[in-house]
Amino acid sequence: MAEPQRDTTEKLYSLIANEEDARVCTDISDDACQEVPRNFFLILGSLVLTKLGDLLISPKTVLAWLLGAVGAPALVAWLVPIRESGSLIPQMVIGAWVRQRPVRKWFWVGGSLGQAVSVAAMAGSVWFLDGNAAGLGVVGALILFSLARGFCSVAMKDVQGKCVPKTRRGRLGGLATTIGGSATVLLTVLLFWERGEPTLPFYVSLLGLAAVLWVIASVLFSGIEEEPGETSGGGHALQEAIRNLSLLRDDAPFRHFVITRALLLCSALASPYFVLLAQQQDDSGWLLGSFLLASSLASSVSATVWGWMADRSSRQVMIRGAVIASGVCLVIGVWNLLTGESASSPWFYPAAFFVLSIAHAGVRLGRKTYLVDMAGGNKRTDYTSVSNTVIGVLLLVTGGISALASLISPTAVILLLGLMGAAGTVSAVRLKEVE
């Protein structure tokens, strides 16, 4: 890197990290400390691009509308479970593979390129195929997308743990979410401002743009200077995966964290039911746009604050996010029980969705920072892969329970998830501080 560019990077990092004379390099090597500013911004850029790409192919919005447009609405129900669980369940095996390599950034690079190819395949499916054939093409590509995402998830936490100091990881995630959220606000306005129902070519263009974003992100991430890490225990992937399950039995703090994370799934699972309640009263395009805008604004206004708070106590961030998430679910659920689901204005739900999205940003950032900070060395990869695999399975189970509850009404699901979040709050209070 040229000296002027390095000096600029150093100054920007000092401003963000609030450092003046001495750089904080907690929990990383002395050699890695020298490359912290450069690596910080390369990781930041990669995360921002992928967050923007996630909006463009959101299963809850864009892909769901897309399948309806091509005549495959019956497949919409599979989008969110495949997107989430498909990247989480295989992570014990993926984690064992990652452990065998001292430098792990290339797993993230490969995963990002895999996501780009998968999104391009989605675009090709809806452009060249019709009806259920196009829908099956999108679902098949989404499976590959989720698997590629699994490699990125495991590798990111490990690379971040080796390249970014312990007390600066929360603000990295917070900044990435804030910048990405701000960009998505602009994109949402462009999407729905004086525009009717988006056309098929418009959706294909969005998918193509998303694919390009993941390619650029992979190029940025490849430039990270990563120190070689531990490779002990990197045996046969499946055997290592099975062996790592013993962490749930033998490691009490980790087991407690996984239980807490499972209960806090409420903040993610409740969102579609807020959208469903609003859609029952008004199915206009601007109402859908308001949910996208609410999600983007929530990330923009809250993520950086959550990030700074997580560097002080990620446990407190999880607790506060859980209180807000469970609270808004219980309030909406009780309100609908008392007034009837058709009594509220549909615009009431985007406002509640906004609050829930703020809470979810806190829960998500808090538990990610907590996991990275509670482990060191190879444990970080093991913790990530085991917890993600277990959560992937529980996500399918909880999704099935929610689907059964939805046969009663969306309000029943929201109340159930609110109670689940309340239990998660109690569990988070009992976690130990790791910062």
Side-chain angles (χ1 to χ4, degrees):
M1 179 187 295
E3 285 303 318
Q5 185 178 353
R6 178 178 289 275
D7 290 342
T8 301
T9 303
E10 293 271 358
K11 291 177 181 177
L12 286 174
Y13 178 76
S14 296
L15 289 173
I16 292 173
N18 194 25
E19 295 175 351
E20 296 180 0
D21 298 326
R23 181 176 304 154
V24 175
C25 286
T26 309
D27 201 32
I28 64 173
S29 68
D30 292 337
D31 290 337
C33 184
Q34 302 303 314
E35 298 294 338
V36 165
R38 181 172 183 270
N39 287 336
F40 184 93
F41 287 108
L42 287 173
I43 295 174
L44 177 63
S46 301
L47 288 175
V48 168
L49 291 172
T50 57
K51 287 180 185 298
L52 186 55
D54 283 336
L55 172 80
L56 298 178
I57 66 153
S58 171
K60 297 176 183 178
T61 54
V62 176
L63 292 187
W65 277 28
L66 183 57
L67 291 191
V70 299
L75 295 173
V76 169
W78 293 100
L79 292 175
V80 173
I82 287 175
R83 165 64 182 81
E84 299 297 332
S85 298
S87 63
L88 293 176
I89 292 175
Q91 285 199 15
M92 283 197 299
V93 175
I94 291 173
W97 286 338
V98 171
R99 278 176 42 146
Q100 297 176 31
R101 298 290 183 271
V103 176
R104 291 154 187 174
K105 67 177 182 180
W106 300 112
F107 286 98
W108 197 96
V109 172
S112 184
L113 290 174
Q115 289 173 91
V117 171
S118 300
V119 174
M122 294 179 195
S125 295
V126 299
W127 186 256
F128 294 107
L129 301 174
D130 295 311
N132 284 331
L136 288 172
V138 170
V139 170
L142 187 61
I143 293 173
L144 297 177
F145 177 93
S146 298
L147 292 173
R149 186 58 161 258
F151 282 93
C152 289
S153 179
V154 173
M156 172 58 78
K157 291 182 178 64
D158 200 57
V159 172
Q160 181 180 335
K162 290 195 291 180
C163 296
V164 179
K166 191 171 187 177
T167 57
R168 299 296 179 261
R169 296 164 188 161
R171 67 194 65 187
L172 170 61
L175 276 173
T177 303
T178 296
I179 296 172
S182 300
T184 57
V185 169
L186 295 176
L187 184 61
T188 301
V189 172
L190 291 175
L191 251 160
F192 291 94
W193 183 259
E194 295 184 351
R195 181 185 293 275
E197 184 72 18
T199 62
L200 187 62
F202 180 74
Y203 276 119
V204 172
S205 298
L206 288 183
L207 294 173
L209 175 59
V212 171
L213 292 176
W214 266 291
V215 171
I216 298 173
S218 69
V219 173
L220 289 180
F221 207 84
S222 68
I224 292 173
E225 294 291 335
E226 178 190 356
E227 294 293 313
E230 302 174 24
T231 58
S232 59
H236 185 272
L238 185 57
Q239 293 175 355
E240 288 298 311
I242 295 173
R243 184 188 64 80
N244 284 339
L245 279 175
S246 63
L247 286 170
L248 293 171
R249 180 193 64 211
D250 302 331
D251 193 329
F254 175 64
R255 181 174 64 247
H256 186 185
F257 168 78
V258 172
I259 292 172
T260 304
R261 181 182 173 187
L263 291 171
L264 296 184
L265 286 173
C266 68
S267 66
L269 293 173
S271 299
Y273 295 98
F274 283 52
V275 176
L276 181 59
L277 286 171
Q279 286 176 333
Q280 289 177 351
Q281 300 179 55
D282 190 338
D283 59 358
S284 65
W286 257 112
L287 185 59
L288 174 62
S290 72
F291 280 102
L292 286 174
L293 194 60
S295 178
S296 301
L297 286 173
S299 297
S300 300
V301 302
S302 69
T304 299
V305 177
W306 285 129
W308 258 263
M309 291 170 62
D311 284 335
R312 298 183 62 183
S313 173
S314 53
R315 168 181 165 272
Q316 288 294 330
V317 168
M318 281 192 288
I319 293 171
R320 290 163 184 164
V323 168
I324 297 171
S326 60
V328 71
C329 287
L330 291 174
V331 167
I332 293 295
V334 172
W335 174 271
N336 282 340
L337 281 180
L338 296 176
T339 64
E341 292 177 1
S342 61
S344 303
S345 165
W347 297 101
F348 173 71
Y349 294 110
F353 184 90
F354 174 75
V355 177
L356 183 63
S357 296
I358 289 177
H360 179 63
V363 169
R364 183 181 176 86
L365 186 59
R367 56 97 172 161
K368 283 186 174 182
T369 306
Y370 191 93
L371 180 62
V372 173
D373 287 350
M374 78 182 294
N378 258 358
K379 266 193 173 182
R380 187 176 292 120
T381 303
D382 292 341
Y383 278 9
T384 300
S385 58
V386 173
S387 65
N388 283 348
T389 300
V390 172
I391 292 300
V393 174
L394 293 178
L395 188 63
L396 290 176
V397 174
T398 308
I401 295 173
S402 298
L404 291 175
S406 68
L407 296 176
I408 302 174
S409 72
T411 296
V413 182
I414 292 174
L415 281 171
L416 177 65
L417 293 173
L419 293 172
M420 180 174 155
T425 303
V426 175
S427 183
V429 167
R430 296 176 56 244
L431 287 170
K432 295 181 179 180
E433 292 285 352
V434 295
E435 274 74 29

